[in-house]
Amino acid sequence: MTDFERKVYEAVKLIPEGFVATYGQIAELAGYPRAARAVGNALHRNPDEEHVFCHRVVNSNGDLAKSFGFGGRDEQRRRLIAEGVYVVNYKVDLSEYGINLNDFLK
DNA sequence: GTTGGGGCCGTCA
DNA sequence: CTGACGGCCCCAA
């Protein structure tokens, strides 16, 4: 496992229940502001879905990933709903559930 | 709403 | 080293 991946997973763990973050935000939290793409790559190889909430990560449009790593979008959607996140056609309202980076950058 | 192009980054073959 | 390949992003038509 690389440092990059570790940081990404750590960042993902910071997302509070009932909220979601974009790949770009995760990239920033991880310390790689422009590595949104690499983030997706890392998440695909998610080591343990139990502790890393990859289902709380969506793209800048609020859409769920097409090729979710386990169980597909349906599983991702199921988990979000279970947390109280309203999901419509594999899409979430970022202005409602999106996180604010400033709340994580102390 | 839709494409399409350019740029970005880390991994792996 | 080089070149592909993504759970991406942004802006311009």
Side-chain angles (χ1 to χ4, degrees), chain A residues 9-20:
Chain A
Y9 301 139
E10 284 303 315
V12 174
K13 290 179 182 174
L14 297 178
I15 307 174
E17 180 178 325
F19 286 86
V20 299

Side-chain angles (χ1 to χ4, degrees), chain A residues 40-97:
Chain A
N41 210 317
L43 283 185
H44 188 149
R45 312 154 155 276
N46 188 344
D48 66 296
E49 57 169 82
E50 290 300 320
H51 300 80
V52 179
F53 318 112
C54 47
H55 61 280
R56 294 180 186 160
V57 186
V58 300
N59 64 24
S60 62
N61 287 310
D63 287 311
L64 274 59
K66 339 172 189 41
S67 311
F68 200 63
F70 60 100
R73 300 178 297 185
D74 295 307
E75 178 60 15
Q76 182 174 14
R77 173 170 133 294
R78 191 191 72 72
R79 285 194 172 195
L80 287 174
I81 292 179
E83 295 182 356
V85 177
Y86 194 47
V87 181
V88 182
N89 198 344
Y90 301 108
K91 191 181 308 179
V92 303
D93 186 343
L94 285 179
S95 64
E96 180 69 20
Y97 304 104

